[in-house]
Amino acid sequence: MGLAKRIIPCLDVKNGETVKGINFVGLRSAGDPVELGKAYSEAGADELVFLDITASFEGRKTFTEMVTKVAQQLSIPFTVGGGINELADVERMLYAGADKVSINSAALRRPELIEEVASRFGSQVCVVAIDARHDADGWHCYLKGGRERTERELQEWAHEAQERGAGEILFTSMDHDGVKTGYANEELAKMADQLSIPIIASGGAGKKEHFRDAFTIGHADAALAASVFHFGEIPIQELKQYLKHEGINVRI
């Protein structure tokens, strides 16, 4: 069966509250991050991701106090991202209770950061998040929460991140984000086939079948989602029972 596939709720946090939008814009409130984190931990989520979504754009540090409050409620692995630019930021997040950190804009600007985090804290701590969009000239990576395009091609950057020591890739398709029509499975499969580290699928979950497809067609190791969990559309245990019934190895 291989390793169990993971189901990961994501808390996108802005100004201390959980928010969710479509294609990275049009944000609406989804509740208190501390309460949501606690509920997901108790509901059987395999991990939790916390992203301070305006930290990089606004050029400030991740909301450390909030991270500590969420971490205290969890009994599952906890990944934190947003505004992490240097080793001191990583150290602060781990000290606040994170198990892993997610780096995105800072890694694109200075890829050596991946090596520094991996060699100082171990590859298992270093998640490289990639926000990418399918433009007229192919898949390109974006900075600052999807606001700024780079010339880095998605697959080439994912491969470099692995070579530099990333322990996981969190790939969000900006085209699929919040649209609820399924994950970018073709691109996920391409990435999974060329990399040896785990890939977390993000962007596009709308129904239980989409999670199944991310694992079976996209070959993802984990599937991350936000609104379908925040707004109670898909209960986690119900999702896991469905996946198990579909022959997918999940922890119940």
Side-chain angles (χ1 to χ4, degrees):
M1 292 282 277
L3 288 173
K5 302 294 187 182
R6 291 169 287 148
I7 300 298
I8 307 177
C10 181
L11 304 179
D12 292 320
V13 177
K14 180 182 183 182
N15 301 329
E17 70 171 357
T18 310
V19 293
K20 189 66 196 109
I22 295 173
N23 303 130
F24 284 44
V25 294
L27 302 175
R28 61 174 171 147
S29 175
D32 174 52
V34 181
E35 291 303 313
L36 280 170
K38 183 173 191 279
Y40 289 138
S41 184
E42 291 169 354
D46 296 297
E47 297 187 18
L48 185 72
V49 169
F50 175 108
L51 299 175
D52 190 332
I53 58 169
T54 53
S56 289
F57 175 60
E58 295 171 0
R60 65 184 160 76
K61 304 302 186 189
T62 305
F63 200 23
T64 314
E65 198 177 306
M66 178 68 77
V67 170
T68 303
K69 285 179 182 169
V70 175
Q72 285 168 349
Q73 302 295 331
L74 302 181
S75 56
I76 54 176
F78 183 33
T79 301
V80 177
I84 293 172
N85 299 304
E86 57 190 7
L87 289 179
D89 297 332
V90 178
E91 201 153 18
R92 196 172 71 253
M93 288 303 110
L94 296 177
Y95 187 73
D99 299 288
K100 308 182 221 183
V101 296
S102 165
I103 53 176
N104 186 338
S105 300
L108 277 163
R109 287 197 201 95
R110 199 172 69 80
E112 300 77 27
L113 179 62
I114 300 169
E115 289 159 297
E116 291 166 12
V117 175
S119 62
R120 174 81 176 270
F121 303 104
S123 282
Q124 78 285 351
V125 164
C126 186
V127 179
V128 171
I130 304 176
D131 297 332
R133 192 162 76 189
H134 190 247
D135 297 326
D137 56 347
W139 281 88
H140 284 272
C141 303
Y142 278 70
L143 290 167
K144 294 183 180 175
R147 289 174 180 82
E148 193 179 297
R149 175 180 146 135
T150 73
E151 291 314 303
R152 297 305 302 261
E153 192 275 328
L154 168 63
Q155 299 293 347
E156 169 237 342
W157 172 236
H159 187 263
E160 182 177 333
Q162 172 180 277
E163 294 308 294
R164 286 183 180 271
E168 282 183 292
I169 299 290
L170 167 53
F171 163 46
T172 301
S173 165
M174 293 168 60
D175 302 308
H176 295 72
D177 175 68
V179 183
K180 300 187 179 181
T181 53
Y183 294 91
N185 293 319
E186 195 179 315
E187 216 53 32
L188 276 165
K190 203 183 289 185
M191 194 179 288
D193 292 345
Q194 75 159 1
L195 301 186
S196 58
I197 58 175
I199 294 158
I200 304 166
S202 168
K207 51 187 185 178
K208 288 178 267 197
E209 290 81 1
H210 295 154
F211 290 88
R212 176 199 64 199
D213 294 348
F215 297 134
T216 56
I217 302 168
H219 306 162
D221 300 277
L224 177 146
S227 57
V228 292
F229 295 144
H230 299 340
F231 302 116
E233 294 162 38
I234 302 177
I236 288 173
Q237 277 307 318
E238 195 179 291
L239 171 61
K240 287 191 163 189
Q241 293 291 352
Y242 163 80
L243 292 170
K244 196 175 182 72
H245 185 260
E246 291 289 313
I248 293 161
N249 182 19
V250 287
R251 293 183 197 89
I252 298 291

